Structure formats: C-alpha cells, structure tokens
Amino acid sequence: MRDRTRFLTLVLAALVCGCAGEAERPTSLTPGDIEFERPSGSGEPHLSVGAEGRAVLTWIEPDGAASALRLAIRDTDGWSAPRTVRHTDQLFVNWADFPSSVEMPDGTIAVHWLEKVAEGPYAYHVLLAFSSDGGATWTEPLRAHDDASPTEHGFVSMVPWRDGAALTWLDGRDMVVDPGSGVRGAMSVRFRTLEPDGHLGPEVLLDDRTCECCQTALARVGDGLVAAYRDRSESEVRDISVVRGAGEQWTDPAPLSTDGWTIPGCPVNGPQLSASEQALASAWYTGVGGVPRVHVAFSDDGGATFGPRIRIDEGLPLGRVDIERLDDGSAVAVWLEASDDAPRVLARRVWPDGSMEASVLVSETAGERSSGFPRMVRLSDELLVAWTLATHDGGVRVRSVRLSG
C-alpha cells in the first residue's frame, strides 16, 4: 500500500509540475498496428533512414549455439525478408550496447557490431561490414578503431557524412581493470570518418574522461557534426556534454544542460540527438536529487547553445530515450515509463516553447534489461518505432506512428 501511495503521489506531482510549458495539446500521433516482429529471444533493435525514404532495421537473435545479427529493409513494398550480416558464437550481446547501421550516399550500407576478442567479460571490439547490394552479401569484417587491446569498445553512433559516414564510440584502451586495486584510467569518446570502400579516417579524441556505458549520439548540423555523451567529472558529476566539429577539428566539451547529477556509477542511459540544418533537438535522462526525469532541449545554432530543458515524462521514467525533430521545429521523443501495471513505451510531441501534446502509448513492455532501448526514425509523415517486447512469447517489434497537424 505504501508503494502504491508513493506512486500515486509522484504521478500527481508530475501532472501538476513535471511537464513544463503550456497546457497539453490534443495528440497528433496515431500508433498503427505492429507491422514487423521477430520471435522470442530476439532483441537489441536499431533503426536508421536509408536512401529514397527506406528504413533499415538491425537486431540480434539466437540461432542454435550462436547469435545472428540480422537486417531487414522497409521500402514502398513493405519489409524485406531478414538477411544475416554476421553469425558467430563470439558476438557480444548486450541489452544497452547494440549494433547499428548507416546507409551512405552511394547506397552502401555499413553495419557495426561488437565481437569478443579475449576471455575477459569486457574484452570486445567494434567491427564493421559493408553491403552494396541491399544486404544480400557482406564484406569481411574490419575493426573500427586502431586500438587492438582486449578492452571495452562500443556504444557506437553513425550518421551519413559527406561521401561516406561518420562514427563515434566509447573506447576503453586507457581503462585498466586491476583485480587488486580496481579500475584505473578512464573511458574516452573518439571519432573518425568512414568511406564506402572501408577506408577509415584518422581517429580523433573528443573527450578523455567519460561515463563508461551510456550511449553516444551523433547528428549532422549544416556542414558540421554534433556529438553528445554522458560526461564524467573528477567529482563524479555525470551530466550530458556536447562537442561540435568536423573531421579533425572539434570544440572542447561543453554541457548540454547543467543538471548536476552526481552518481558513483554509470546509469546506462545516454542522450539522443536529431537535427536539420542548424536546428537540433536533444533528449536525455537524469536522476539528480533521486528524482528520475526525461528532458528535451532545443538548439537553433547547431548545438552551440541550448534553450531551457523541458521535462516530458509522467513522473516515473526509466529513460532509454530517442528523439526525432520535425519540420515545424517540434520534436517527438520516446522513452520508457514505469506504471502500476507494466512499464510502457511512450511517445510525446514537444515544442521549443515548452508546450507539448499528451503522451501516446506505443506498447507495454517490461522494466527488465531485456526490454532494451526503443529506437525511432522519421519517414515523411510517419515515425517508425522499434522496441523489444520482453515476454516469453515476445521479441523485436516495429510499429508505425502516423503524424498529423
């Protein structure tokens, strides 16, 4: 009873003050039927936008004694049959650090994944493979980073960039785990470019001390790029930072929002970005003061400055956010929210002035790690949302959410 009373109190408080701005508008989001699903045990979905308005979905599912990284493409004819990118018992499968794809301007699809390189639990590398025939065949894998040490490398973000792509990742080459003294050194975030032929540009260090296992984010803004990640100060403040640049020239890290969340360990909850020209929308989770929140903030100068943070959750968020900016300057965010029954995947449209629509239910899910992170892309007047239904008969699901108004 005490837990239920606390829950109701928090929800009431969220309704009163949790969502900043004007009164909620009627929703313009209409979820459709589930249009793509995979069997029980599948998970770790990721969506990206390809050429000519098609969507590329990647996920992992068990296959015998091994795991398979699969890919499917949605075009005007619907979803393709699943195609296998990688099948191995060395795949590093993690609920929060999942494969992704990017389609380059010439139509080449690049996919990244994590693969074990030693017996240690956190010794794995980021590998890449390329397909020029829509995923029917793939090149031999190559390592995305120069470092070959048996340490952690992951949490990759990729976007199309110039004639190829750009990527960021968390790199553990300077972080050593000593059984006697614990962890020495720190995780870093790094950047490099990628060409369709597999050529990798020089590595660039963006920040030499970051949170260990929160997702990175990367977005194109005009002729440049913005990267966001959870930083880590010497006093264990783990707020979101951004860096701006292109190629080998980048700004120093700057706070996206000064939340002041001090936490001695990684919350496994990274930021997301969505941009168009110089306009940028961001979403992130924070737990400062012991109160979980999901915030959105907007920038109209390519990430140099951001407007006020706007709280969009309903009082008990689990985080695991994604965001897509719309043409009218608003954005749609998705996240996981706890409830009295089952955790839910929610979506909400929000404007830079703080006004927002009522949230809509995309799906019920579970609070376990196996429910993963919902991912979302925009295709014209609809959003595609992928998530994991963490039940005995669940798995990867994709649903279209129509936009109106």
Side-chain angles (χ1 to χ4, degrees), residues 216-219 226-229 242 256 271-275 280-283 306 322-325:
T216 63
L218 190 63
V226 176
Y229 54 94
V242 296
L256 190 160
Q272 289 297 302
L273 299 172
S274 179
L280 188 70
S282 60
F306 285 85
D322 203 359
I323 193 165
E324 283 291 327
R325 187 183 177 277

Side-chain angles (χ1 to χ4, degrees), residues 18 23 25-26 34 40 42 60 100 106-107 152-153 172 195 205 209 222 243 322 337 354 358:
R25 309 180 184 187
I34 291 174
S40 177
S42 60
I60 296 175
S100 70
D106 72 345
E152 299 177 50
H153 305 76
E195 301 299 326
L205 177 65
R209 182 181 173 84
V243 291
D322 203 359
E337 182 88 22

Side-chain angles (χ1 to χ4, degrees), residues 11 32 44 51 53 64 93 102-104 106-107 128 135 166 178 182 210 212 251 253 277 291 297 305-306 362:
V11 170
E44 295 75 48
V93 181
V102 62
E103 185 166 345
M104 304 183 200
D106 72 345
L128 295 161
D178 188 306
T210 70
E212 298 87 353
T251 63
E277 295 303 323
V291 180
T305 61
F306 285 85
V362 177

Side-chain angles (χ1 to χ4, degrees), residues 14-315:
L15 292 174
V16 172
C17 62
C19 299
E22 302 170 3
E24 291 180 355
R25 309 180 184 187
T27 184
S28 60
L29 307 176
T30 306
D33 295 332
I34 291 174
E35 61 179 49
F36 186 90
E37 58 184 271
R38 295 302 296 164
S40 177
S42 60
E44 295 75 48
H46 180 273
L47 283 163
S48 65
V49 176
E52 300 177 356
R54 62 184 182 179
V56 181
L57 172 70
T58 55
W59 70 96
I60 296 175
E61 59 185 55
D63 190 346
S67 297
L69 169 56
R70 312 279 199 209
L71 175 145
I73 295 174
R74 181 199 196 246
D75 57 22
T76 54
D77 296 324
W79 286 96
S80 70
R83 299 156 188 178
T84 300
V85 180
R86 184 71 165 167
H87 182 272
T88 175
D89 61 1
Q90 295 303 300
L91 208 65
F92 183 78
V93 181
N94 184 280
W95 67 287
D97 192 359
F98 35 83
S100 70
S101 67
V102 62
E103 185 166 345
M104 304 183 200
D106 72 345
T108 298
I109 299 174
V111 171
H112 103 270
W113 67 93
L114 309 178
E115 201 153 307
K116 303 171 190 174
V117 293
E119 291 301 318
Y122 299 109
Y124 50 87
H125 289 168
V126 177
L127 298 187
L128 295 161
F130 306 84
S131 176
S132 58
D133 54 13
T137 60
W138 294 89
T139 64
E140 287 297 311
L142 63 89
R143 193 175 63 233
H145 39 84
D146 296 338
D147 177 55
S149 67
T151 53
E152 299 177 50
H153 305 76
F155 296 99
V156 174
S157 294
M158 299 194 292
V159 295
W161 175 243
R162 296 178 177 167
D163 294 330
L167 64 152
T168 56
W169 71 96
L170 293 187
D171 196 297
R173 69 184 70 179
D174 298 324
M175 192 172 68
V176 179
V177 180
D178 188 306
S181 60
V183 177
R184 293 181 286 109
M187 188 70 77
S188 61
V189 61
R190 298 172 187 258
F191 166 88
R192 77 189 318 173
T193 56
L194 175 65
E195 301 299 326
D197 63 0
H199 175 76
L200 292 164
E203 287 189 355
V204 181
L205 177 65
L206 302 183
D207 195 324
D208 64 0
R209 182 181 173 84
T210 70
C211 200
E212 298 87 353
C213 46
C214 286
Q215 294 78 21
T216 63
L218 190 63
R220 294 175 297 169
V221 286
D223 295 328
L225 295 162
V226 176
Y229 54 94
R230 190 173 296 281
D231 219 333
R232 180 189 175 199
S233 75
E234 294 289 344
S235 59
E236 299 294 4
V237 175
R238 303 198 186 213
D239 289 345
I240 307 302
S241 287
V242 296
V243 291
R244 297 173 293 114
E248 298 180 57
Q249 301 299 316
W250 289 80
T251 63
D252 291 333
L256 190 160
S257 174
T258 307
D259 299 330
W261 189 15
T262 301
I263 178 172
C266 179
V268 196
N269 242 312
Q272 289 297 302
L273 299 172
S274 179
S276 175
E277 295 303 323
Q278 292 296 310
L280 188 70
S282 60
W284 72 98
Y285 171 89
T286 183
V288 64
V291 180
R293 303 176 182 91
V294 170
H295 289 305
V296 166
F298 294 85
S299 172
D300 58 10
D301 55 10
T305 61
F306 285 85
R309 60 190 176 214
I310 304 163
R311 185 174 177 184
I312 65 164
D313 64 83
E314 298 194 336

